[in-house]
Amino acid sequence: MFRKYIRERLSWILLFGFLQVLAAFVVYIDSAISLKPFLYYTFLSAIIFTGFIFLRYQKETRFYREVAEREEGLDLSSIPESESPFEKIIESGLVSQTERFKQEYTRNWTLLEKEKDELLSWIHEVKTPLTAMHLMIDRIGDQNLKSALTYEWLRIHLLLDQQLHQKRIPSMENDIYIEMIHLEDILFREIKSLQSWCMQKGIGFEMEMEVTEALSDAKWFSFIIRQLLTNAVKYSEESDILISSFLQDSKISLRIQDFGRGIDQRDLPRIFEKGFTSTANHHENAATGMGLYLAKKAADQLKIKILVESCLGKGTIMTLVFPTRNDFVSITGM
């Protein structure tokens, strides 16, 4: 801050130096003026000016230091009290700007909440005809037609579910309840929901569960598993998906391994980015790039780590590492 102040007042300092040089020039050309008093005067004025600079530095930079250290936000009480006329101008500008931002923020937040509520309401309304459609599909006798319609129904159902959870994730912390969940029950339920799709693609499941329970939120953990299983099934053909749970370093881990397409090494750092699909198969239009992104967002809220290992053409391993009980202290609802 001192360097900035010196740069700000550099014109004053240069003016003072110029006046001293001018006085020295006058003494030089005027032999009637004694040199010794002039040097004494110059020495005293330099000390006084230096002291003046330091005193003004403390006084003039107080307001600006507090503005610079002020926490970002819309709290007007954090704006420091002004003293000088210029400081009052800055304070007035900060207050009016903050008030305008608060009004804009409130208006935009209200519109977003309204849009979110309307979308959630629409999704819930769409679920009713989807349920009726599923019952109608179950009554179809032609197995080929039934299988094709069930697959398309499942795609719509998963996309709606993804959209529903995408809108809920920003306020997810208000919807978390940590308890001991049964991993097998959740896995079986999610696998069953993908049964028709798996049968169509010739995909089976093998499970080796050393650990059957873990601390988490059942609803959001189900959503994470749904995204990972959907991804595994989508990019696999006529192969098994291996699911196993085990203890490692005193933490519970759940591993989902498929033997499908795999992920290019250059894509691995980006697979959890919003909207990212693939560089190896960029021509595909079916992928939205939202599944893994949303799964990672939900996992972060539950303090679950998602580790990825993959080899292009050989498959992918997704490992979920659950936190310990102490890690849940900061999560509301525990």
Side-chain angles (χ1 to χ4, degrees):
M1 180 66 77
F2 185 71
R3 289 183 179 179
K4 292 180 180 178
Y5 179 75
I6 292 298
R7 286 201 301 268
E8 178 68 22
R9 297 293 181 246
L10 186 61
S11 58
W12 291 11
I13 297 170
L14 291 175
L15 176 63
F16 175 79
F18 172 75
L19 291 176
Q20 299 306 307
V21 171
L22 180 63
F25 177 72
V26 171
V27 171
Y28 174 74
I29 62 174
D30 191 347
S31 58
I33 302 174
S34 178
L35 180 62
K36 189 176 290 186
F38 167 74
L39 293 176
Y40 184 63
Y41 162 77
T42 303
F43 176 71
L44 285 179
S45 62
I47 292 176
I48 293 171
F49 183 75
T50 303
F52 173 79
I53 286 291
F54 276 100
L55 287 174
R56 294 304 301 174
Y57 165 74
Q58 296 295 331
K59 185 174 179 61
E60 292 182 18
T61 59
R62 178 198 62 81
F63 177 80
Y64 299 103
R65 280 200 305 268
E66 291 182 13
V67 169
E69 294 169 1
R70 174 174 171 257
E71 293 183 2
E72 293 183 4
L74 302 179
D75 184 14
L76 292 174
S77 63
S78 64
I79 298 177
E81 185 178 352
S82 59
E83 294 180 0
S84 71
F86 282 169
E87 289 176 1
K88 291 184 183 298
I89 292 173
I90 294 173
E91 181 187 14
S92 175
L94 284 173
V95 170
S96 62
Q97 189 179 58
T98 302
E99 288 289 354
R100 188 167 65 252
F101 282 163
K102 286 172 72 173
Q103 293 174 3
E104 288 282 340
Y105 174 82
T106 302
R107 182 163 61 251
N108 291 336
W109 179 259
T110 303
L111 289 173
L112 283 172
E113 285 295 305
K114 182 181 178 182
E115 182 183 346
K116 173 186 170 183
D117 292 340
E118 289 174 353
L119 181 59
L120 291 177
S121 175
W122 178 82
I123 290 172
H124 284 293
E125 288 178 7
V126 169
K127 282 187 174 183
T128 302
L130 266 182
T131 303
M133 188 185 300
H134 193 265
L135 294 173
M136 291 162 55
I137 291 172
D138 284 341
R139 292 198 294 267
I140 295 176
D142 188 335
Q143 290 301 317
N144 291 331
L145 178 60
K146 181 177 180 180
S147 176
L149 289 174
T150 301
Y151 168 68
E152 296 302 332
W153 177 90
L154 181 61
R155 286 180 60 191
I156 297 173
H157 172 73
L158 291 174
L159 287 171
L160 283 173
D161 179 74
Q162 200 176 85
Q163 186 65 238
L164 178 66
H165 284 84
Q166 182 181 352
K167 292 299 179 183
R168 287 177 172 172
I169 279 179
S171 57
M172 180 180 165
E173 65 274 7
N174 301 322
D175 190 35
I176 292 178
Y177 179 71
I178 304 300
E179 59 182 343
M180 291 300 295
I181 60 173
H182 296 277
L183 299 177
E184 287 184 328
D185 292 348
I186 292 174
L187 286 166
F188 284 139
R189 185 167 63 248
E190 296 304 326
I191 290 171
K192 186 177 180 181
S193 69
L194 301 173
Q195 184 177 4
S196 59
W197 192 12
C198 292
M199 290 176 63
Q200 185 180 7
K201 301 191 73 174
I203 294 172
F205 289 88
E206 290 186 18
M207 297 181 64
E208 296 179 6
M209 305 293 290
E210 294 180 14
V211 183
T212 58
E213 291 185 330
L215 273 172
S216 194
D217 178 272
K219 180 171 67 176
W220 284 101
F221 178 71
S222 297
F223 172 73
I224 296 169
I225 289 296
R226 195 176 309 136
Q227 303 311 307
L228 299 186
L229 289 179
T230 300
N231 243 40
V233 173
K234 183 188 296 183
Y235 299 115
S236 298
E237 294 287 345
E238 297 183 351
S239 61
D240 286 346
I241 294 174
L242 307 182
I243 302 176
S244 59
S245 64
F246 51 90
L247 271 175
Q248 187 174 16
D249 299 330
S250 302
K251 290 190 175 183
I252 299 170
S253 296
L254 179 69
R255 177 180 294 163
I256 301 174
Q257 180 177 5
D258 68 69
F259 300 92
R261 178 189 298 173
I263 304 169
D264 197 320
Q265 293 300 308
R266 63 183 176 180
D267 290 344
L268 279 178
R270 301 181 59 193
I271 60 173
F272 295 114
E273 292 179 6
K274 186 176 182 179
F276 180 75
T277 51
S278 169
T279 56
N281 298 277
H282 209 61
H283 59 279
E284 292 186 350
N285 298 320
T288 62
M290 295 299 294
L292 291 180
Y293 165 76
L294 295 174
K296 183 68 166 57
K297 294 278 284 187
D300 287 344
Q301 292 282 351
L302 296 177
K303 299 189 180 298
I304 296 175
K305 293 182 180 178
I306 304 181
L307 308 178
V308 186
E309 302 171 51
S310 187
C311 183
L312 194 62
K314 294 184 178 180
T316 302
I317 300 174
M318 293 279 187
T319 305
L320 303 181
V321 182
F322 290 84
T324 60
R325 183 179 290 272
N326 292 336
D327 296 327
F328 284 111
V329 174
S330 61
I331 296 185
T332 305
M334 178 63 179

